[in-house]
Amino acid sequence: MKKRVVIALGHRALGTTLPEQKEAVGRSAKVIADLIEEGCQVAITHSNAPQVGMIHTAMNEFGKVHQDYTAAPMSVCAAMSQGYIGYDLQNGIRTELLDRGIFRTVSTVLTQVMVDPYDEAFYTPTKVLGRYMSAEDAAAERKKGNYVVEEPGKGFRRVVSAPNPVSIVEIEAIKALMDADQVVIACGGGGIPVMQQGNRLKGASAVIEKDLAAGKLAEELDADALIILTSVDKVYINRGKENEEELGEITVEQAKQYMEEGHFGVYNMLPKFRASVEFIEKRQGREAIITSYDKLLEGLKGKTGTIIR
């Protein structure tokens, strides 16, 4: 059987502006095609931080200028970002595969991810996004029940919660595509956060950490490997100190120890390690690899990267 792999693309693999994204996606498509040529089944998830912020700002500014239109909620902005990024990614990967004589369908699945309405994260919002606002606009946001923080000298910005992913709503569709040996792009930006209300799914005013959603996707697809692409070839502990150390192959127990010792930033490496550990612990024989996007294939072969087993 083919090795089943979930790849999480970070910001560097996507760029920020439209031209940057087109160029970055072309580079990322090459390394993904390398994996497919190696005989892997591939599911891809991705960051959306710059894109969803841009969409959120644009939709809200449009709503302010045109009275007949309302501001777009975060769940809608997340859905837009999945389509916007997925469109470029699936076409970039398709082109690269065809150039290599590989005929494989590449599909983006608009993906909703269930969150717990009682998740403690809803009481302590942490993710800053969107435009800078005046004090008057910030007061209006607070009246709506939204959280706002001030950045000295710059203004006020919206801040939203980052709840944990509980389950993936469209997982059966994603599994069907994977079982048919197709390439799937899913859970973009951590997925569209939703809460169950009877038979209805209600969008949550939140964002889900992309790496945690990638781990959940890998778990529910019963993948063999989770690959998280970032800006460094290997992760370091004690960075910038005399006892700086790069991490090659480590155990789950070592990964947990480094997490407990506080070596990783809360919004940087910590979610990557947490997602990796939770994924690996669900079944024996799994591995997680954290490396840069241009070292993906080498990482899969164990030649570089931080590898957790």
Side-chain angles (χ1 to χ4, degrees):
M1 292 181 65
K2 290 187 175 182
K3 187 170 187 175
R4 181 167 286 190
V5 175
V6 171
I7 304 170
L9 300 177
H11 168 60
R12 186 183 172 200
L14 292 175
T16 302
T17 64
L18 238 174
E20 281 181 7
Q21 182 170 299
K22 288 278 188 187
E23 184 177 345
V25 161
R27 294 194 299 267
S28 299
K30 292 182 185 299
V31 296
I32 292 167
D34 288 342
L35 276 187
I36 294 167
E37 275 194 323
E38 288 288 313
C40 293
Q41 284 186 337
V42 178
I44 303 147
T45 187
H46 56 79
S47 170
N48 74 339
Q51 291 86 351
V52 78
M54 176 181 66
I55 291 167
H56 183 264
T57 298
M59 296 301 294
N60 283 283
E61 288 300 309
F62 186 83
K64 284 176 62 179
V65 175
H66 301 275
Q67 294 183 355
D68 293 336
Y69 293 86
T70 58
M74 276 305 304
S75 55
V76 172
C77 295
M80 289 181 176
S81 74
Q82 282 191 11
Y84 162 47
I85 297 168
Y87 164 69
D88 274 348
L89 260 180
Q90 69 184 36
N91 284 326
I93 296 167
R94 177 182 181 274
T95 298
E96 183 65 29
L97 291 175
L98 288 174
D99 285 347
R100 300 184 188 200
I102 301 171
F103 299 89
R104 196 75 54 85
T105 299
V106 186
S107 304
T108 298
V109 177
L110 200 65
T111 316
Q112 301 172 97
V113 175
M114 203 79 73
V115 297
D116 182 354
Y118 301 105
D119 192 311
E120 291 185 2
F122 283 113
Y123 303 102
T124 53
T126 55
K127 295 286 187 177
V128 179
L129 56 83
R131 66 185 178 89
Y132 287 100
M133 298 179 283
S134 65
E136 182 181 357
D137 287 342
E141 285 294 322
R142 290 192 179 103
K143 284 183 180 179
K144 297 176 188 175
N146 296 326
Y147 291 88
V148 177
V149 293
E150 182 177 7
E151 294 186 26
K154 294 183 178 181
F156 298 82
R157 294 182 76 190
R158 176 93 178 273
V159 58
V160 298
S161 304
N164 292 310
V166 174
S167 61
I168 298 167
V169 177
E170 290 78 18
I171 192 62
E172 294 304 324
I174 298 167
K175 283 180 180 177
L177 289 167
M178 291 291 286
D179 290 344
D181 203 24
Q182 304 303 314
V183 183
V184 187
I185 301 161
C187 295
I192 305 161
V194 293
M195 297 178 288
Q196 185 87 40
Q197 293 187 345
N199 289 331
R200 179 171 173 261
L201 295 177
K202 178 179 172 57
S205 182
V207 295
I208 298 171
E209 179 63 54
K210 173 263 300 177
D211 296 316
L212 298 183
K216 179 62 67 175
L217 178 63
E219 174 194 327
E220 295 199 12
L221 285 175
D222 194 21
D224 300 297
L226 169 64
I227 302 176
I228 300 176
L229 302 183
T230 184
S231 58
V232 294
D233 294 352
K234 292 185 179 181
V235 180
Y236 285 77
I237 57 172
N238 303 312
R239 194 69 188 259
K241 300 179 181 178
E242 290 184 3
N243 58 341
E244 178 180 276
E245 179 185 350
E246 67 176 22
L247 300 179
E249 184 172 332
I250 61 173
T251 64
V252 167
E253 288 70 28
Q254 287 174 305
K256 285 181 175 179
Q257 179 185 337
Y258 297 140
M259 290 164 66
E260 290 171 2
E261 290 173 353
H263 285 285
F264 311 122
V266 174
Y267 305 118
N268 184 13
M269 284 299 168
L270 185 60
K272 295 171 174 53
F273 271 75
R274 182 183 153 197
S276 299
V277 166
E278 291 176 359
F279 164 67
I280 293 168
E281 287 188 320
K282 291 292 192 301
R283 175 171 67 78
Q284 287 187 345
R286 290 176 169 175
E287 65 179 359
I289 303 164
I290 304 172
T291 191
S292 59
Y293 81 96
D294 53 342
K295 300 289 185 180
L296 188 154
L297 196 56
E298 292 177 46
L300 192 67
K301 293 178 179 179
K303 295 178 179 180
T304 191
T306 296
I307 303 169
I308 308 170
R309 291 192 172 100

